[in-house]
Amino acid sequence: MTLTETHPRGAAAPGPDGPDGSGAQAVVTGIGVAAPNGLGTRAWWRATLAGESGIGPLTRFDGERYPATLAGEVPGFDPAAHVPSRLLPQTDHMTRLAFAAAQEALDDAGVDAAALPEYGAGVVTAASAGGFAFGQRELEALWSRGGAHVSAYQSFAWFYAVNTGQISIRHGLRGPSGVLVTEQTGGLDALAQARRQLRKGIGVLVTGGVDSSLCPWGWAAHLADGRLSTRRDPATAYLPFSADANGHVVGEGGALLVLEDAAAARERGAEVYGRVSGCAATFDPAPGTGGAPRLRDAAALALADAGLTPGDVDVVFADAAGLRADDVAEARSLAELFGPRGVPVTAPKTMTGRLAAGGGALDVAAALLALRDQVVPPTVHVAAPAEDCPVDLVTTARPLPLRTALVLARGRGGFNAATVLRAAAG
């Protein structure tokens, strides 16, 4: 496995659906989900369309000791049902969730890893911090009992590349692999990297992101930048684009996808959820330099990569920071691209919280299922956007003819990413 970086910030990678028509056409044939409002794709999508939130008081540890007390925790997860017993002592909760999502995605795609060429399949995932809970436990052992009591598995269980490595080993996916560390944009950046590997001739890629850092050590990091909502009512804590926005809620989980060439998928009769037609990323100027945020540029570059215009987009899955200044900036970017209220905008992450590296990947899964079912999932708890956020915010599930979706993400530190998805047929 090699560690890789995403494509240069401020550039789009020429894509199969772009103007030059080069390379393999990337399609998604499998989806696996672990989310706070549903474990497994079917349960999560049903809850998402119904507007059912998975945000509630922290149960993983005593949140009452902290100013922020709400989180999105994956419900009903039994590690022993998803992870071989020999791997339980060496894996963090984050990796166990990733195992479940990867297995579901591969099963959904009907991929027989053993039948693939030895180096014909790879894994590209995203992470934000690695196995925080595992690391905290071992540090506690070090401080309280000494180095002899620290697990040897600490050497890799904390590492941000651990999900890629463990999935690769478990399923025998020995082709080019990597990890992207770009916080909330990570899932989109990983998908872009997997698409590049596909164009190089790798037949199957497992890609996306699954994250979790719901432990006191991780919570301290989340609290450090002051972006978490301190409200205690799940219905008012995370309100992107609202005049009452007060920060965001942290969640755990995400989605993993199976990406493969369209021709190969057709040949084996696989169900195709949709095409990955455009990918791009940008980086914001340094604070204090006076430069403008570059989310709009990422969206425009992704559309150019797909050979499309803003008029082709039927729905936008927004980053939805939940902070007034950031929401206004995103709304203005969308208005510049599409016109004020010019395209339906949704943020189903209001039901899960922001999932760090898992957030963009889960939005991609939602967009693909929206294209399949011809319905836009809702943004819950927001009655209407603020006057300075001129977006057509979808607050209840809205059936619509959908052909093209744009997914946006912003990560801490200035990362922006955009992905264009198109319906499987037509």
Side-chain angles (χ1 to χ4, degrees), residues 184-189 241 278 280-282 294-303 313 315-321 329-335 337-338 343-349 354 356 359-364 367 391 405-411 415-421:
Q184 190 80 16
T185 66
L188 301 189
D189 288 334
F241 302 112
T282 59
R294 301 197 61 210
L295 180 65
R296 179 191 179 282
D297 292 341
L301 286 165
L303 287 169
V313 175
V315 62
V316 173
F317 285 73
D319 173 68
E330 183 173 19
R332 287 176 178 169
S333 294
L334 294 173
L337 270 177
F338 303 105
V343 64
V345 173
T346 189
K349 58 172 64 71
R354 292 177 68 81
L362 191 64
D363 274 349
V364 167
V391 294
L406 173 66
V407 181
L408 302 176
R410 292 173 294 185
F415 296 103
N416 305 294
T419 300
V420 177
L421 303 165

Side-chain angles (χ1 to χ4, degrees), residues 22-408:
S22 63
Q25 187 180 84
V27 298
V28 175
T29 56
I31 299 175
V33 168
N37 60 338
L39 178 60
T41 302
R42 182 174 297 180
W44 158 75
W45 186 235
R46 180 202 61 76
T48 298
L49 290 181
E52 297 175 3
S53 175
I55 293 173
L58 277 161
T59 64
R60 202 70 51 76
F61 61 96
D62 182 10
E64 291 298 319
R65 298 159 44 193
Y66 301 88
T69 63
L70 300 178
E73 299 176 341
V74 175
F77 182 74
D78 176 10
H82 301 278
V83 183
S85 58
R86 64 181 178 81
L87 295 180
L88 287 173
Q90 60 179 274
T91 50
D92 180 76
H93 180 67
M94 170 197 72
T95 300
R96 296 170 182 176
L97 293 174
F99 272 147
Q103 186 68 65
E104 183 187 19
L106 288 165
D107 290 346
D108 186 37
V111 169
D112 180 4
L116 296 171
E118 186 175 9
Y119 299 102
V123 185
V124 181
T125 69
S128 64
F132 251 48
F134 194 106
Q136 175 176 325
R137 186 184 69 214
E138 299 309 317
L139 285 174
E140 288 173 345
L142 173 66
W143 295 331
S144 62
R145 291 185 288 166
H149 296 275
V150 176
S151 168
Y153 298 126
Q154 168 68 359
S155 61
F156 60 82
W158 71 271
F159 191 37
Y160 50 81
V162 67
N163 287 355
T164 288
Q166 289 282 24
I167 293 167
S168 173
I169 292 168
R170 185 178 182 189
H171 295 285
L173 308 177
R174 301 180 65 190
S177 298
V179 61
L180 283 298
V181 185
T182 54
E183 214 257 337
Q184 190 80 16
T185 66
L188 301 189
D189 288 334
L191 185 61
Q193 174 67 4
R195 180 171 170 249
R196 282 193 292 274
Q197 295 291 357
L198 195 72
R199 290 204 301 269
K200 294 178 181 179
I202 305 304
V204 173
L205 279 302
V206 174
T207 188
V210 174
D211 223 333
S212 177
S213 53
L214 301 184
C215 62
W217 187 24
W219 207 242
H222 286 302
L223 287 166
D225 66 0
R227 300 170 68 90
L228 287 192
S229 172
T230 56
R231 292 174 180 162
R232 292 178 171 247
D233 181 356
T236 62
Y238 180 28
L239 302 173
F241 302 112
S242 169
D244 294 325
N246 180 244
H248 70 270
V249 174
V250 170
E252 66 177 1
L256 292 175
L257 314 167
V258 173
L259 194 71
E260 59 181 304
D261 174 52
R266 281 195 303 269
E267 184 175 345
R268 68 181 187 86
E271 177 186 356
V272 172
Y273 287 100
R275 294 175 282 159
V276 182
S277 297
C279 300
T282 59
F283 200 81
D284 288 342
T289 60
R294 301 197 61 210
L295 180 65
R296 179 191 179 282
D297 292 341
L301 286 165
L303 287 169
D305 185 32
L308 300 174
T309 68
D312 295 310
V313 175
D314 301 307
V315 62
V316 173
F317 285 73
D319 173 68
L323 290 164
R324 289 289 291 128
D326 290 351
D327 290 344
V328 169
E330 183 173 19
R332 287 176 178 169
S333 294
L334 294 173
E336 290 172 4
L337 270 177
F338 303 105
R341 301 172 185 83
V343 64
V345 173
T346 189
K349 58 172 64 71
T350 51
M351 291 172 262
T352 64
R354 292 177 68 81
L355 308 185
L362 191 64
D363 274 349
V364 167
L368 289 167
L369 295 177
L371 293 173
R372 183 195 68 180
D373 295 344
Q374 298 289 282
V375 59
V376 179
T379 304
V380 301
H381 301 145
V382 180
E387 290 185 6
D388 55 3
C389 292
V391 294
D392 175 15
L393 195 65
V394 176
T395 57
T396 58
R398 185 187 298 181
L400 282 176
L402 301 175
R403 178 85 178 92
T404 303
L406 173 66
V407 181
L408 302 176

